[in-house]
Amino acid sequence: MKKIRIGIIGAGRIGKIHADNLLRNPQVEIVAVSDLFAGPELEAWAAERNIAIVTKDSNELIHHSDIDAIFICSSTDTHVPLIGQAARAGKHIFCEKPISMDITKTESAIDEVKKAGVKLQIGFNRRFDHNFKRVQEVVQGGGIGDPHIIKITSRDPNPPHIDYVKVSGGIFMDMMIHDFDMARFVSGSEVEEVYAVGNVLINPDFAQHGDVDTAVVTLRFANGALGVIDNSRQAVYGYDQRVEVFGSKGSVVVANDHPNTAVISTADAIVSDKPLHFFLERYQAAYIEETQMFIDAILHDKCVPVSGDDGVQAERIALAAKLSSRLGRPVKVSEALELLKQTSVV
């Protein structure tokens, strides 16, 4: 049985999650892992998983003759150069989102991939969630007719540390980018215009770094549908992930996942458990499936399910939203890049 040999760049939380998920696949061998802070702790972790090579040098993985594909799980500012290096070395690439915070650099990375003829999959894991996949299937199958309204709610249980906020790129590029991709995924249409508003309602420190912790965006789609996305960095009751698509023949709605479906009814109250705590629990199965589909695309020379172009489109929408929030007006996705050149608000 042929095995795809993997090198993982970046051994933080998401890199280790992908490693453990890849090891579930009998057609995968993890050859090496690199991290700038590699040391005894990472070496012990790798040894438990029979990963032979641990290094601080990502080039060692990229140019290793026994490695077929690279997982890029390092910080966002490293994605573009690593994609270029891996593509030129003939390696297939899985890259976490976003590709970068600069659309021009992102597009140059995609060009490198296309020239090299290698596969690139972007880590929009929510496409593989059992609930959201069902929404997309129903909409694309015509089950609710023509989509009219798309509503997406995404709220984290706790805000990130302020050190993360400083380098995150802001709520639209860091958090809502998942929802922009989901909007395209479930609607089957491109976003043409956005109008974004945001405020600091949770932690005043967000404002010091030019960010907000609460935001709402309205969308206009090419197919005529309208959309609403709301994000909050703190939902005290847990991780809140819901989608609704309303159409000409009906609607499809998915609610939060819970640890169990028990509902306790008494004279005092009707009670159920809170939603699953955060993204690691909520999207555990989705993380597994996205890596399996990437491996399958390599083994059988198929298109990856989430392409570099999908990554570019989500970034374009995020940029338009960021500009809209700062300018206080709707922004067309097609004008965002030119508008960025003309303004200093982002």
Side-chain angles (χ1 to χ4, degrees):
M1 178 173 61
K2 182 180 179 181
K3 287 195 173 187
I4 301 299
R5 296 159 299 181
I6 302 292
I8 297 175
I9 299 175
R13 178 170 59 180
I14 194 64
K16 288 178 177 175
I17 288 170
H18 284 315
D20 285 336
N21 290 337
L22 285 163
L23 289 170
R24 296 168 179 259
N25 191 327
Q27 292 182 288
V28 168
E29 177 187 353
I30 301 178
V31 175
V33 59
S34 74
D35 193 277
L36 289 175
F37 303 101
E41 184 179 342
L42 182 59
E43 288 170 357
W45 174 87
E48 290 175 359
R49 291 156 177 81
N50 295 316
I51 301 172
I53 299 172
V54 176
T55 177
K56 293 182 179 181
D57 185 5
S58 60
N59 278 310
E60 188 175 341
L61 275 65
I62 289 170
H63 297 290
H64 196 297
S65 60
D66 288 337
I67 288 178
D68 303 305
I70 298 290
F71 269 64
I72 299 175
C73 306
S74 47
S75 59
T76 300
D77 61 311
T78 68
H79 290 181
V80 165
L82 288 172
I83 288 172
Q85 292 164 27
R88 290 190 293 273
K91 311 298 186 186
H92 300 296
I93 305 157
F94 181 103
C95 183
E96 274 301 326
K97 67 81 196 170
I99 298 173
S100 81
M101 297 174 194
D102 183 321
I103 301 294
T104 303
K105 290 180 180 179
T106 295
E107 290 177 336
S108 71
I110 302 304
D111 287 343
E112 290 263 28
V113 169
K114 291 178 178 178
K115 287 177 186 174
V118 297
K119 299 183 188 300
L120 169 64
Q121 181 170 324
I122 307 304
F124 284 123
N125 62 293
R126 296 183 190 181
R127 289 189 179 214
F128 304 91
D129 172 71
H130 59 291
N131 289 327
F132 300 154
K133 277 198 303 181
R134 183 61 181 141
V135 173
Q136 193 262 357
E137 290 166 0
V138 170
V139 174
Q140 296 309 306
I144 54 97
D146 297 326
H148 290 177
I149 299 172
I150 292 95
K151 293 183 179 180
I152 300 173
T153 291
S154 183
R155 303 167 187 164
D156 287 351
N158 299 294
H161 193 278
I162 203 64
D163 287 342
Y164 176 82
V165 174
K166 294 176 186 178
V167 298
S168 70
I171 195 169
F172 302 110
M173 187 65 74
D174 169 54
M175 182 178 178
M176 200 179 286
I177 195 166
H178 273 294
D179 305 303
F180 294 139
D181 181 68
M182 187 52 50
R184 296 179 63 240
F185 179 62
V186 300
S187 69
S189 181
E190 296 296 347
V191 175
E192 290 191 332
E193 183 181 79
V194 302
Y195 182 37
V197 293
N199 211 342
V200 179
L201 303 176
I202 298 164
N203 184 347
D205 291 342
F206 275 71
Q208 296 177 20
H209 302 286
D211 200 6
V212 298
D213 53 37
T214 308
V216 176
V217 171
T218 58
L219 311 169
R220 288 185 182 272
F221 293 87
N223 65 2
L226 304 176
V228 180
I229 300 171
D230 75 82
N231 275 188
S232 172
R233 289 288 196 180
Q234 184 176 51
V236 296
Y237 50 83
Y239 196 39
D240 194 353
Q241 301 282 289
R242 291 172 282 140
V243 170
E244 175 189 6
V245 181
F246 169 81
S248 58
K249 295 181 180 179
S251 71
V252 54
V253 180
V254 290
N256 289 308
D257 273 1
H258 295 260
N260 58 71
T261 59
V263 178
I264 304 167
S265 302
T266 68
D268 298 320
I270 298 176
V271 180
S272 64
D273 281 357
K274 292 179 180 180
L276 292 173
H277 176 64
F278 206 9
F279 69 94
L280 295 181
E281 297 87 352
R282 174 66 177 79
Y283 294 117
Q284 182 182 23
Y287 280 118
I288 294 170
E289 185 170 347
E290 72 172 346
T291 57
Q292 289 177 336
M293 292 193 72
F294 175 63
I295 298 302
D296 189 58
I298 297 172
L299 284 169
H300 302 288
D301 195 22
K302 299 190 298 188
C303 293
V304 294
V306 190
S307 70
D309 290 330
D310 289 318
V312 171
Q313 285 302 113
E315 285 181 34
R316 286 175 177 158
I317 301 167
L319 174 60
K322 197 170 186 177
L323 286 162
S324 173
S325 176
R326 300 293 175 85
L327 295 172
R329 70 165 178 85
V331 170
K332 292 185 183 299
V333 175
S334 60
E335 71 173 324
L337 265 178
E338 187 59 35
L339 195 57
L340 181 63
K341 298 173 184 176
Q342 299 171 7
T343 181
S344 60
V345 297
V346 174

